[in-house]
Amino acid sequence: MAEVGARPSPPPPGGLPRLLLPLDRVPPFLPPFLPPSAMTRSRQETLALRKQLIGSSCRLFFPEDPVKIVQATNQYMYDEHGNEYLDCINNVAHVGHCHPEVVKAAHQQNLLLNTNSRYLHDNLVDYAQRLSKTLPEKLCMFYFLNSGSEANDLALRLARQYTKHEDIMVVEHAYHGHLTSLIDISPYKFRNLGGQKEWVHVAPLPDTYRGIYREDHADPALAYANEAKTIIDQAHERGRKFAAFFMESLPSVAGQIIPPFGYFQKVAEHIHKAGGVFVADEIQVGFGRVGKHFWAFQLQGEDFIPDIVTMGKPIGNGHPVACVATTKEIAGAFSSTGVEYFNTFGGNPVSCAIGITVLDVIEKERLQAHALQVGSFLMELLNQQKVKHPLIGDIRGVGLFIGVDLVQNQEKRSPATTEAEFIITRLKEELIMLSTDGPGRNVLKFKPPLCFNARDAKLVVEKLDQILSDLEKRSA
Ligand SMILES: Cc1ncc(COP(=O)(O)O)c(C=O)c1O
């Protein structure tokens, strides 16, 4: 069995940019033994039990040959044999798997107290204060919850209470969570379920690569926003009234999309005129991932401020934490009903201690700047591949949020779904975890823990190059 945590240390590769984090950042800690369950139960036994006990709609990565992970640190995960996988996709383990400071903060607060937010506790107010420093001044009221879905469901309630309207606009292929209310506003899900509710309106995805207005359009932001305006006008004719426009600041499951600059401002203007609010879903893309900014909505320019921001996934580095930030006016309207908002676990002292520590680590390890630097390097390497491989139609991204859009045909831009599946399966054999997104499941998505480094970037692109070359040789 390979030694857990052992990683071959090649000579530093040439041409790497200076890194904010050391190139070979040593995993901060790895327990010297594997957990007993991993030693006693084989992968096949675990799989058999899972099939017997867990609902089959809870899917596995690589269902034909699933991976059993028993330990992880930084951007590396270890299976039961000690094989080390490079994690290019886990945007929850934001500051690195099992970051020791986050683990320590949870443990120390657990030793002292964990209870609900009906008692005064400094962690809750300290955390809200810390988050407010990352946001525009207007977003100064906070609610803490346990999951991204809970955050979006509360955003829905806030918007409806504030506007006294019911209808919601979302963009095509969006996903906003697994609660009934959110399946209703997630075309990615409802298109395969009960269909579209009368209070839900779907605007075209502002995708300038495969959407209705592309990179050759003079003003795609305006053109896409006009589409949303037309939908609002048509709905008004039917007597419908808008509570909100919900959008992920960078649509993820829709295929790692970068909306055109200025689109949010224009849509916000239309939705505000209709009496609704703008909800920015930052659940996948917030907390410095985009590098240039802490929040992805800030990529749209300083003149754009959402009315509600929802946060989840990376916020607790794996601990279930989520948050909704909004304005005094919206929070005031929500309170005016006199009905209490109580969330048993939301905002408990342990969750808040973890949330504060995640913010500390992002700052101390300068992970936002690191994401920008390593992300730009990865984009550069990927763009070199694009010149070589006709299967690559588009490379798009900001910071460590990157999509590689694979196409069968450069002109038609038809999704290369089978090839994408083949590539991620081959990468898995090379101990690299990558996955696909987009309606055609043809976009390779990179959204690794932010400690992902230049050496990791070089390794994954080298492997990708080999696999693409093999694929091209086969089809020649
Ligand atoms: C954009 C977006 N919003 C909301 C959610 C729901 O978050 P959770 O699974 O934590 O409930 C997800 C989860 O994948 C998401 O990607």
Side-chain angles (χ1 to χ4, degrees), residues 168-460:
I168 304 292
M169 190 176 335
V170 289
V171 296
E172 192 54 88
H173 307 304
Y175 175 63
H176 293 293
H178 59 78
L179 301 184
T180 308
S181 59
L182 304 170
I183 297 295
D184 283 347
I185 65 163
S186 298
Y188 169 71
K189 293 282 177 188
F190 74 61
R191 297 257 182 255
N192 299 315
L193 290 167
Q196 191 169 340
K197 299 270 160 53
E198 58 178 356
W199 52 270
V200 178
H201 309 267
V202 182
L205 179 70
D207 169 3
T208 53
Y209 180 67
R210 197 177 268 106
I212 51 175
Y213 306 111
R214 299 188 175 181
E215 69 281 358
D216 56 354
H217 192 282
D219 192 348
L222 180 68
Y224 279 114
N226 284 343
E227 293 286 330
K229 164 95 171 60
T230 305
I231 292 170
I232 293 173
D233 291 344
Q234 287 169 351
H236 280 168
E237 280 167 23
R238 301 195 305 276
R240 310 294 321 179
K241 291 185 172 157
F242 284 86
F245 177 83
F246 256 77
M247 183 161 171
E248 239 195 302
S249 301
L250 298 171
S252 308
V253 293
Q256 305 283 100
I257 304 298
I258 316 286
F261 184 76
Y263 171 71
F264 282 19
Q265 288 87 326
K266 293 179 176 66
V267 174
E269 201 181 314
H270 298 318
I271 199 74
H272 286 153
K273 271 196 194 138
V277 298
F278 193 114
V279 182
D281 179 336
E282 289 270 340
I283 288 162
Q284 289 224 28
V285 294
F287 291 88
R289 171 163 301 279
V290 300
K292 283 187 191 144
H293 302 280
F294 197 78
W295 300 107
F297 71 76
Q298 293 169 318
L299 289 165
Q300 291 277 322
E302 276 183 17
D303 56 334
F304 174 70
I305 301 178
D307 303 291
I308 300 177
V309 173
T310 57
M311 311 164 199
K313 294 185 190 272
I315 189 173
N317 210 52
H319 184 81
V321 190
C323 176
V324 175
T326 190
T327 63
K328 269 204 171 107
E329 294 72 26
I330 294 175
F334 194 57
S335 305
S336 69
T337 59
V339 176
E340 179 189 15
Y341 178 76
F342 178 65
N343 187 315
T344 302
F345 302 119
N348 70 64
V350 172
S351 295
C352 292
I354 289 171
I356 291 168
T357 309
V358 169
L359 294 176
D360 285 342
V361 174
I362 294 172
E363 243 174 69
K364 259 201 260 173
E365 299 188 6
R366 295 195 287 156
L367 290 175
Q368 187 181 324
H370 183 79
L372 181 64
Q373 198 179 20
V374 176
S376 307
F377 179 61
L378 178 54
M379 286 281 285
E380 207 180 292
L381 296 181
L382 289 167
N383 274 311
Q384 288 164 13
Q385 296 300 310
K386 183 171 182 289
V387 180
K388 265 175 84 176
H389 299 291
L391 259 173
I392 302 181
D394 190 33
I395 311 276
R396 48 184 178 258
V398 274
L400 282 171
F401 174 92
I402 295 173
V404 180
D405 198 318
L406 300 175
V407 293
Q408 285 171 338
N409 178 303
Q410 289 279 348
E411 255 163 49
K412 290 190 191 139
R413 301 183 177 182
S414 35
T417 309
T418 318
E419 291 82 351
E421 181 65 28
F422 176 81
I423 290 167
I424 60 163
T425 307
R426 279 284 296 107
L427 282 171
K428 178 200 147 211
E429 288 162 14
E430 302 286 348
L431 307 184
I432 294 172
M433 283 293 168
L434 197 70
S435 74
T436 57
D437 244 333
R441 298 221 64 84
N442 65 309
V443 181
L444 305 178
K445 60 170 169 192
F446 287 87
K447 40 179 195 165
L450 295 196
C451 45
F452 189 86
N453 65 33
R455 194 184 70 180
D456 302 323
K458 270 203 110 179
L459 175 77
V460 65

